[in-house]
Amino acid sequence: MGPVLAGVLQLLALIGALALVYVPVGNYMAKVYSSKQHLRVEKWIYKGIGANPDTEMTWPAYLRGVLAFSAVSVLFLYLLQRLQGVLPGSLHFSSVNPAQSFNTAVSFVTNTNWQSYYGEQTMGHVVQTAGLAVQNFLSAAVGMAVAVALVRGFVRSRTGELGNFWTDLVRGTLRILLPGAAVAAVILVACGAIQNFSGIHEVGQFMGGSQQWNGGAVASQEAIKELGTNGGGYFNANSAHPFENPTPFTNLFEVFLILVIPFSLTRTFGVMVGSVKQGYAILATMFTIWLGFTALMMWSEFAHHGPALQAAGGAMEGKEVRFGVGGSSIFAVATTLTSTGAVDSFHSSFTGLGGGITMLSMMLGEIAPGGTGSGLYGILIMAVIAVFIAGLMVGRTPEYLGKKIGGREMKLAACYILITPALVLVFTAASMALPTPPHSMLNSGAHGFSEVLYAFTSASNNNGSAFAGLNANTDWFNTMTGLAMLLGRFLPMIFVLALAGSLAEQKPVPVTAGTLRTEKPLFTGLLVGAILIITGLTYFPALALGPLAEGLAS
C-alpha cells in the first residue's frame, strides 16, 4: 500500500467514525445542558462553592462567573508551580520561575496549553496531575459553557437570562468530559500509552550509553488533552512521543478525540434551537473547510519536489516514521483548526506551504471545527456576519434564527472578529521591531519571521502549538504570549456573552417569504466564503512575508 493511499484510507476511517457518533454525542450534550435535574455529586459541589444551580444569570453575571473562576484558577496554578520544590512527588524538580509560572498558568486556564519548557524535566507529578490535568478539564468546560450561553441567547426571548454558569461548568465537566476521558484513557493504556507514578530512572540506548526518563499519569492526561482540545504534552515531544502516542492507531484515535466534541456540538446547537437542519448547515461549513485544508496539506507534503523527498514518499523531515506523511498531515490540520495545539510532528519542518496552512488554520479563528465550545461560538459569530452581508445585498434587515441583527449586534460581532488579528499582528510587529526578541529566532529571513508570527497566532487564538526553532522561554516571550493568551481568550468571551444577552432580550421575528433560509446550502457557501475572505484580507500581508515567500522560493 502506497503512502498516499494509506493517508486517504486513514482520512476516510476518521470521517466514518465521526459520522457514527455525531448524532448520539450531540443529542447527549443537548440533554445535559437542558436537563432540570441535578446529580447528587453535583449538589455537593454546588453546596461546597455556595452556588444556587437553579438561579438564572444575565450576561454580566454569567461573565463575572467566568472571569472570577478563571482568575482563581490562574492564581492556584501559579502558586502550585512556585511551591513545587516543597511538594511531594516533585521528582526533585525545583520551583518554576515566576515568568514561566505565569505563562504556564495562563496557558492552561485559557485552554491554550502553550509550553515553553520541557515537561518531563520541569513539572513533577503533583503539578502535572493536580494542576495541569485538572485545568484541561475545567478550561474546556468553560468554553462549552459560553457556547451554550450563546445558543440560549438565540433560543430565549424577552429575557436577558442565559442560564447558570456554575451549573454549565459542573455538568460539562462531570457528565461529558470526565466519562469521555476515562474511556479514552483506558483505550490508550490498552494500546501502549503509559500510566504510572514512577520516578526518574536510567534507560539504555541502542547506540550505547543511557538517559534518564520519568513516568507519569500520561494516558489519562493525554485523553483529556485531546478530548478537551487542550494540547499540553506530558513530554516535550508531545504526541510524537511513544509514551503518549505509541502507534498509528492511537494517532488516528487522538485525532478523533480532538474533533468529536467540536463537530458534535453543531448537533447540540441544532437540537437546542429546535432545528437540526441549522446544525447541519454549521456542520457542513466546518466540514468543508476542514476537509479542504486536510487535502491541501496532504498534497503539499506528498507532492513536494526533490529526489530525496520523492524517494521517501513525501516531505518526511520532522515527522515520525510510524505515522508517515498522511497521519502527520491529518493531525496537523486537526490540531490547528481546533484550539488543541498537540503535535505529532514539527510544523516548522513542514514544507513552506504546509507550514502556511497550519498558520492559516489558526488564523481562521479555529472554527472548523474549533475548540470545545469556542469553535461553536466562533462560527456562530461568523454566521451573524454572513447574515448581515446577505442583508446588505438584498436591502433587508438581517435576521438569524428569528432574531434581528441590528447595529448593537453587529458592533459586538465586529469587535469579536477584530480582537484576535489585532493581538497577533501587534505582538508580532513589536517582537520583530525590538532588538532583543529576534535573538530567540533559530532561523533568519522568511522562516524566522514565520516562527514569531506562528507563536503569537498560536497564543492569541488559544491554540498552543509551536513552530519550533524559536526559543520562547525568555522573559519577553513568556510575558507577551501570556498576555496574548489572556486577552485572546477573555475579550472575545465578553463580546460573545454580550451578544447572547442582546439576542435573548429580543422578541422573535416571524419567518416570511423574504427571510434568508440559513439551513440551506446557499447559506453554507456564503458562510464559507465570508470566513475565507475576511481571514485572507486580514492576514494576507503577514502570510506573504513568511510562509508564502518561503513556499514560492523553495
Side-chain angles (χ1 to χ4, degrees), residues 85-345:
V86 298
L87 293 175
S90 65
L91 302 178
H92 305 292
F93 294 149
S94 60
S95 298
V96 184
N97 68 65
Q100 196 167 70
S101 293
F102 164 75
N103 183 278
T104 304
V106 167
S107 175
F108 277 77
V109 172
T110 59
N111 199 241
T112 310
N113 301 72
W114 169 272
Q115 295 173 286
S116 60
Y117 58 88
Y118 296 94
E120 65 269 38
Q121 299 177 15
T122 306
M123 305 297 183
H125 292 322
V126 173
V127 175
Q128 289 275 19
T129 54
L132 306 187
V134 168
Q135 286 306 318
N136 282 347
F137 285 95
L138 298 179
S139 63
V142 168
M144 295 167 69
V146 173
V148 170
L150 178 58
V151 174
R152 293 193 185 112
F154 286 108
V155 174
R156 298 181 177 183
S157 61
R158 299 177 181 178
T159 177
E161 297 173 344
L162 301 175
N164 187 292
F165 167 69
W166 304 107
T167 302
D168 294 337
L169 175 71
V170 170
R171 288 184 177 181
T173 303
L174 296 185
R175 300 193 196 184
I176 299 173
L177 296 172
L178 266 174
V183 173
V186 171
I187 294 174
L188 289 174
V189 170
C191 293
I194 68 170
Q195 182 78 8
N196 57 54
F197 287 103
S198 68
I200 298 175
H201 50 276
E202 294 283 336
V203 178
Q205 295 179 312
F206 288 116
M207 302 299 293
S210 64
Q211 63 183 116
Q212 292 185 331
W213 283 104
N214 57 279
V218 176
S220 56
Q221 187 158 324
E222 189 76 9
I224 187 57
K225 136 186 168 180
E226 312 295 16
L227 186 65
T229 63
N230 293 282
Y234 207 101
F235 299 96
N236 182 56
N238 206 277
S239 291
H241 199 292
F243 288 177
E244 293 192 22
N245 189 9
T247 69
F249 170 78
T250 60
N251 188 66
L252 201 61
F253 178 63
E254 290 185 11
V255 178
F256 170 82
L257 293 177
I258 290 170
L259 299 175
V260 62
I261 288 181
F263 271 132
S264 298
L265 275 173
T266 62
R267 175 74 181 191
T268 303
F269 163 71
V271 171
M272 292 183 70
V273 300
S275 173
V276 294
K277 291 183 179 180
Q278 296 288 347
Y280 283 129
I282 298 299
L283 172 66
T285 303
M286 290 179 170
F287 181 78
T288 299
I289 296 174
W290 171 72
L291 186 62
F293 274 51
T294 303
L296 283 173
M297 177 66 82
M298 293 177 72
W299 171 80
S300 70
E301 297 303 299
F302 275 122
H304 199 283
H305 57 79
L309 298 172
Q310 291 174 1
M316 280 299 296
E317 180 187 348
K319 299 179 178 68
E320 283 291 321
V321 175
R322 66 184 190 275
F323 304 144
V325 173
S328 298
S329 298
I330 294 170
F331 200 111
V333 173
T335 195
T336 50
L337 274 175
T338 64
S339 64
T340 308
V343 293
D344 72 347
S345 55

Side-chain angles (χ1 to χ4, degrees), residues 3 65 99 340 400 444 463 471 473:
T340 308
Y400 187 50
S444 59
N463 181 273
N471 176 21
N473 189 17

Side-chain angles (χ1 to χ4, degrees), residues 195-517:
Q195 182 78 8
N196 57 54
F197 287 103
S198 68
I200 298 175
H201 50 276
E202 294 283 336
V203 178
Q205 295 179 312
F206 288 116
M207 302 299 293
S210 64
Q211 63 183 116
Q212 292 185 331
W213 283 104
N214 57 279
V218 176
S220 56
Q221 187 158 324
E222 189 76 9
I224 187 57
K225 136 186 168 180
E226 312 295 16
L227 186 65
T229 63
N230 293 282
Y234 207 101
F235 299 96
N236 182 56
N238 206 277
S239 291
H241 199 292
F243 288 177
E244 293 192 22
N245 189 9
T247 69
F249 170 78
T250 60
N251 188 66
L252 201 61
F253 178 63
E254 290 185 11
V255 178
F256 170 82
L257 293 177
I258 290 170
L259 299 175
V260 62
I261 288 181
F263 271 132
S264 298
L265 275 173
T266 62
R267 175 74 181 191
T268 303
F269 163 71
V271 171
M272 292 183 70
V273 300
S275 173
V276 294
K277 291 183 179 180
Q278 296 288 347
Y280 283 129
I282 298 299
L283 172 66
T285 303
M286 290 179 170
F287 181 78
T288 299
I289 296 174
W290 171 72
L291 186 62
F293 274 51
T294 303
L296 283 173
M297 177 66 82
M298 293 177 72
W299 171 80
S300 70
E301 297 303 299
F302 275 122
H304 199 283
H305 57 79
L309 298 172
Q310 291 174 1
M316 280 299 296
E317 180 187 348
K319 299 179 178 68
E320 283 291 321
V321 175
R322 66 184 190 275
F323 304 144
V325 173
S328 298
S329 298
I330 294 170
F331 200 111
V333 173
T335 195
T336 50
L337 274 175
T338 64
S339 64
T340 308
V343 293
D344 72 347
S345 55
F346 287 105
H347 293 178
S348 183
S349 296
F350 278 40
T351 63
L353 295 179
I357 292 171
T358 61
M359 265 188 275
L360 184 59
S361 297
M362 293 184 290
M363 291 170 177
L364 291 182
E366 295 177 322
I367 54 177
T372 47
S374 60
L376 180 61
Y377 66 66
I379 202 166
L380 290 179
I381 295 290
M382 293 304 302
V384 168
I385 299 289
V387 166
F388 181 76
I389 293 172
L392 292 178
M393 291 179 178
V394 299
R396 177 184 170 88
T397 302
E399 305 163 9
Y400 187 50
L401 299 177
K403 300 297 178 71
K404 286 186 177 293
I405 308 301
R408 173 178 169 79
E409 289 76 24
M410 276 308 302
K411 289 175 184 177
L412 293 170
C415 288
Y416 178 93
I417 65 173
L418 288 174
I419 185 64
T420 303
L423 293 173
V424 173
L425 298 177
V426 168
F427 278 118
T428 300
S431 296
M432 297 303 297
L434 295 176
T436 303
H439 293 308
S440 295
M441 295 159 47
L442 180 64
N443 300 281
S444 59
H447 196 81
F449 174 76
S450 294
E451 293 172 358
V452 178
L453 177 64
Y454 192 106
F456 285 109
T457 300
S458 177
S460 301
N461 285 282
N462 300 132
N463 181 273
S465 64
F467 211 44
L470 179 73
N471 176 21
N473 189 17
T474 65
D475 287 344
W476 168 265
F477 280 109
N478 277 329
T479 303
M480 293 301 106
T481 55
L483 291 175
M485 288 183 278
L486 275 176
L487 298 174
R489 175 70 164 179
F490 296 113
L491 285 181
M493 282 186 174
I494 294 173
F495 302 129
V496 169
L497 292 173
L499 176 62
S502 178
L503 294 171
E505 292 171 354
Q506 295 185 26
K507 61 181 181 180
V509 179
V511 176
T512 66
T515 300
L516 175 65
R517 302 296 297 273

Side-chain angles (χ1 to χ4, degrees), residues 58-69:
T58 60
W59 80 262
Y62 204 101
L63 176 64
R64 285 195 295 271
V66 170
L67 296 180
F69 177 76

